[in-house]
Amino acid sequence: MYKWIFVSTYKYYSKFKNETPRFSAAAVVTVSQFTCVVLVLTLLKKLMLWDFTRYVPNKFVALPIMFGWMAVIYRYYSKERITVLLKVFDELPKWKRIFWGVMSVVFFVLPLILFAFAASKHNV
């Protein structure tokens, strides 16, 4: 799933002159994955199943983890792998390419919104 999100984001950012599409796509995938993990952890805490905050000394511990994960994703999607994925992506039907373009936005924004609701102090 995230490979198609990476490729659709890569294709979008490759249209701009001053953008580095590989880095931008890796950043989008990293933020999407990281917010999904944080959302799950927040929901587990909210449902009183597991309080992960007892194991984390402060909230800034997440930044090196996130940057490290982004480096892993950046290295995973090498130029050769991107070339192969772009070729396969271009062979998909148009509706699937549009679907994955929309899903890259959804998986980037939706976890952020859900996290805001889950982390709020007030129950709706």
Side-chain angles (χ1 to χ4, degrees):
M1 172 177 72
Y2 282 108
K3 69 180 177 181
W4 298 129
I5 292 173
F6 180 89
V7 173
S8 64
T9 307
Y10 183 91
K11 284 184 70 81
Y12 174 75
Y13 280 109
S14 65
K15 295 177 187 175
F16 301 108
K17 222 183 244 188
N18 295 328
E19 287 289 329
T20 53
R22 184 176 170 197
F23 178 80
S24 299
V28 168
V29 170
T30 301
V31 170
S32 299
Q33 290 177 340
F34 201 75
T35 53
C36 284
V37 168
V38 171
L39 175 64
V40 168
L41 292 174
T42 303
L43 289 174
L44 287 173
K45 181 182 177 186
K46 192 83 162 176
L47 296 172
M48 293 182 256
L49 297 174
W50 184 57
D51 186 11
F52 69 95
T53 57
R54 293 188 301 158
Y55 306 105
V56 180
N58 64 31
K59 60 186 172 189
F60 296 112
V61 170
L63 289 175
I65 295 170
M66 189 170 168
F67 287 126
W69 186 245
M70 188 168 151
V72 168
I73 290 173
Y74 185 83
R75 293 201 60 193
Y76 176 76
Y77 289 107
S78 62
K79 291 181 181 182
E80 295 82 23
R81 184 166 284 155
I82 291 171
T83 305
V84 170
L85 286 174
L86 284 172
K87 183 180 175 195
V88 173
F89 188 76
D90 287 336
E91 292 173 359
L92 291 175
K94 185 173 180 156
W95 69 270
K96 280 189 179 180
R97 292 190 307 249
I98 292 171
F99 173 77
W100 285 113
V102 170
M103 291 311 290
S104 63
V105 174
V106 168
F107 275 96
F108 186 77
V109 174
L110 186 63
L112 294 172
I113 294 169
L114 293 175
F115 171 72
F117 282 120
S120 69
K121 301 280 184 198
H122 305 295
N123 291 334
V124 179

